[in-house]
Amino acid sequence: MGRLIAAGFLLLLLWCQAAAGVGGGVVVRRRSRPPTLARHYHTTSSSSSRRQHAAAAGGDDAGGGAVPAMVQYETRHYTQRLDHFNSAPASYATFQQRYLVNDTFWRSKTAPILLYAGNEGDVELFANNTGFMWEAAPRLGAMLVFVEHRYYGRSMPFGGREAAFRDAGTKGYLTVTQALADYASFVLSLKANLSAPAAPVLVLGGSYGGMLAVWMRLKYPHIIMGAVASSAPILSFYGLADPYAFYDRMTDDFKSESKHCYEVLRDSWAELDSLLATKEGASRLKSTFNMCNGSSVEDIPSLLESAVVYAAMTDYPTPSGFLTALPAYPVREMCRAVDRSGGGGNDTLLRVRAAMGVYYNHTGAASCFRGEEEDDPYGMLAGWDWQACTEMVLMTYGLSNDSILQPPWPFNLTDVVDSCRNATGLPPRPFWLETEFGGYDIGNVLKRSASNILFFNGLRDPWSTGGVLKSISDSIIALVEPKGAHHVDLRFSSKDDPEWLTRVRAKETRIIARWLKQYYSDEAIST
């Protein structure tokens, strides 16, 4: 069977599930769970197939280095209800939901509150990496609040992670609607405690967090006055999105840099499979790729797949540390490495190794490539595996004939549903979020029913294929940047940012300021 990378998020997040150098080696995580639609970094391996699942999310540091000094916050907890929608006795159970707050810039009790809708991971990652919020807060006189998503980080129902993920009965409270109700309840309590009932609240998020931001504005417009959604693929569900579009866009990213590079990488999978099938071939791979002790040449295809997918997602114009330390425009640099390598001949393996080196060892600090088993330092996998196979059923599964990932993989919803049922023991609900929040005829629906939503999408980002790419009204605005990558606007600014990125962030700030001006006018609040 073929090889598939099903990119689901999340969105998202991030960071940790991709690759990192540990102990002088390059890490790839390989697992053997049933395949799900979305995961931060997951490879299912068997004698017949290798499937990897990628995800996305919001935020990044200023260039892969230390967290900027301006990122300072207090950690607090809110007593959250387990179930907002039922009156059964079990619904009244509570858990401690973590949130981070910085009120340094908050000018008054009518000044804005910028709320980050926590994605599928530890909330500190978002606070440390969502530079746009930190840079906008002083200009807007805003308070910053980052609230953690239930079942992630330290916000665990039932007393802890083990109990929270014990079985379907405990995991069943992990849903989008419960998470949004958490945020609504939290915001009302926060404003009451601050004696700031008139403070406008804007919600921001990237990737899955961006989806939550949009849905929060739609579901609770009386609580949230605006939403900034970066790289939010709210149209990536069945019937709304082309299931081949994600990987087609990724393929186009590489083609645009070098047709030769694309062809080498596209054809490399067959060669790797052929070599792995024999002892002689495995020996050749071992001599070409310097795998760390305890690692196997079987890890090489997964390493390459990850590098190709994540380089396309994070094809940022400046150096970054979102997934691993990367140079500016990593797709371009990987293709340059492919085109320049080969030992003077046409050695595909040397070219593949060179491409992997750009992604996994840009700094030169790793002495070998290492495949590592289970590693989930930021607590993403258990929760996202559940969400991705219950209701966050994202349509990013098909590989077309021209895909850089070969061989082709025809999309089949029945197979997806069956694999998710096997993984969770429950039938997934692939149409539920479209029912809950809409999606069909999105332009006309939002024009009639919504306002104050800002979408950003960079067209280098494969996730943009499920994003809103056209403005819908004067206050539902889509900013689209052909050279942009995944939530690049949410990263900290840099002196090396291209002019188009500086313009995007400035425009986003002006739009937010316009919303606030209108809010204060409508509420007759003097600023």
Side-chain angles (χ1 to χ4, degrees):
M1 296 176 66
R3 177 183 297 104
L4 174 64
I5 301 181
F9 288 126
L10 285 192
L11 20 70
L12 18 198
L13 243 186
L14 283 172
W15 327 281
C16 31
Q17 295 313 320
V22 177
V26 175
V27 181
V28 62
R29 279 76 174 173
R30 295 174 62 85
R31 298 176 179 85
S32 56
R33 299 173 183 164
T36 61
L37 282 175
R39 187 166 304 179
H40 286 281
Y41 190 86
H42 173 193
T43 302
T44 298
S45 300
S46 70
S47 59
S48 61
S49 67
R50 286 182 297 274
R51 300 185 182 184
Q52 178 175 301
H53 301 252
D60 186 24
D61 61 28
V67 176
M70 69 186 305
V71 178
Q72 298 182 18
Y73 45 77
E74 294 181 24
T75 300
R76 301 177 185 173
H77 294 85
Y78 173 67
T79 300
Q80 188 63 262
R81 178 175 166 136
L82 177 64
D83 180 5
H84 297 280
F85 304 109
N86 295 287
S87 297
S91 300
Y92 292 87
T94 61
F95 66 96
Q96 295 301 299
Q97 184 167 33
R98 182 168 55 152
Y99 67 99
L100 314 176
V101 61
N102 181 303
D103 61 2
T104 303
F105 314 108
W106 202 40
R107 290 178 187 154
S108 71
K109 293 185 182 297
T110 58
I113 297 171
L114 302 184
L115 178 80
Y116 189 92
N119 306 39
E120 68 286 26
D122 190 307
V123 70
E124 290 186 347
L125 288 168
F126 304 105
N128 294 343
N129 295 314
T130 310
F132 176 79
M133 289 177 62
W134 291 98
E135 294 173 355
R139 304 170 194 167
L140 300 173
M143 175 184 291
L144 294 175
V145 181
F146 298 80
V147 60
E148 192 163 66
H149 195 299
R150 59 167 55 201
Y151 286 81
Y152 293 101
R154 299 178 188 171
S155 299
M156 290 292 161
F158 301 103
R161 178 176 299 277
E162 183 176 354
F165 291 102
R166 182 177 62 245
D167 54 37
T170 57
K171 289 186 285 188
Y173 298 98
L174 174 51
T175 68
V176 168
T177 51
Q178 294 283 7
L180 294 180
D182 286 346
Y183 297 162
S185 174
F186 165 78
V187 168
L188 292 178
S189 175
L190 176 70
K191 292 177 68 173
N193 289 334
L194 293 171
S195 298
V201 179
L202 292 98
V203 61
L204 300 91
S207 203
Y208 174 47
M211 299 170 85
L212 294 174
V214 174
W215 294 334
M216 187 77 182
R217 171 62 179 160
L218 297 179
K219 196 71 173 177
Y220 298 101
H222 55 295
I223 297 175
I224 300 298
M225 62 81 64
V228 177
S230 180
S231 300
I234 62 169
L235 303 179
S236 282
F237 296 96
Y238 187 74
L240 304 178
D242 177 356
Y244 297 91
F246 182 96
Y247 292 106
D248 285 349
R249 179 62 54 82
M250 184 188 73
T251 296
D252 289 342
D253 288 348
F254 282 85
K255 279 185 178 179
S256 70
E257 296 295 341
S258 165
K259 182 180 179 182
H260 174 254
C261 170
Y262 153 72
E263 291 173 345
V264 168
L265 295 176
R266 179 198 62 192
D267 297 340
S268 67
W269 312 111
E271 183 163 347
L272 290 173
D273 284 343
S274 177
L275 291 169
L276 286 169
T278 67
K279 290 183 178 180
E280 294 78 9
S283 177
R284 184 183 172 198
L285 288 172
K286 185 175 181 180
S287 66
T288 303
F289 294 84
N290 183 26
M291 303 301 293
C292 299
N293 291 335
S295 298
S296 169
V297 292
E298 294 283 345
D299 294 322
I300 293 170
S302 294
L303 280 164
L304 178 59
E305 288 174 349
S306 299
V308 170
V309 173
Y310 288 118
M313 283 175 53
T314 59
D315 198 34
Y316 298 139
T318 56
S320 68
F322 179 55
L323 300 176
T324 185
L326 290 176
Y329 299 112
V331 171
R332 179 190 64 190
E333 295 306 314
M334 286 176 66
C335 279
R336 285 179 175 177
V338 167
D339 292 343
R340 293 172 181 172
S341 299
N346 191 30
D347 191 328
T348 298
L349 296 187
L350 293 179
R351 298 184 190 279
V352 167
R353 188 184 67 181
M356 287 167 51
V358 171
Y359 185 83
Y360 293 106
N361 197 20
H362 169 59
T363 65
S367 59
C368 54
F369 291 111
R370 179 164 65 86
E372 185 171 87
E373 291 299 323
E374 191 73 29
D375 186 18
D376 186 18
Y378 298 105
M380 301 175 189
L381 293 179
W384 189 249
D385 287 351
W386 174 264
Q387 287 190 265
C389 259
T390 51
E391 58 181 11
M392 287 296 297
V393 186
L394 299 162
M395 294 295 106
T396 53
Y397 240 111
L399 297 180
S400 64
N401 290 335
D402 293 332
S403 173
I404 196 171
L405 304 180
Q406 288 290 310
W409 189 280
F411 172 77
N412 186 307
L413 181 62
T414 300
D415 290 345
V416 172
V417 169
D418 289 345
S419 68
C420 279
R421 188 192 300 267
N422 291 335
T424 65
L426 299 171
R429 305 175 75 190
F431 306 103
W432 171 243
L433 292 181
E434 294 164 282
T435 302
E436 181 74 7
F437 302 108
Y440 294 102
D441 195 22
I442 190 71
N444 286 326
V445 170
L446 291 186
K447 186 184 297 184
R448 293 192 297 264
S449 62
S451 64
N452 293 2
I453 301 174
L454 171 59
F455 296 96
F456 169 80
N457 280 281
L459 297 185
R460 300 285 288 182
D461 177 18
W463 285 112
S464 66
T465 58
V468 174
L469 303 181
K470 293 183 179 180
S471 293
I472 295 171
S473 69
D474 290 342
S475 67
I476 305 178
I477 302 166
L479 301 182
V480 178
E481 176 48 55
K483 298 179 182 179
H486 199 52
H487 52 63
V488 65
D489 58 322
L490 292 186
R491 299 180 64 212
F492 279 96
S493 62
S494 163
K495 61 180 178 60
D496 298 320
D497 285 337
E499 184 179 351
W500 61 260
L501 181 53
T502 301
R503 287 199 307 268
V504 164
R505 294 191 181 117
K507 187 176 294 186
E508 290 177 344
T509 304
R510 289 196 300 271
I511 291 170
I512 292 172
R514 188 173 76 225
W515 292 348
L516 290 170
K517 182 179 180 180
Q518 185 64 51
Y519 171 84
Y520 291 128
S521 174
D522 292 344
E523 299 295 326
I525 297 173
S526 175
T527 55

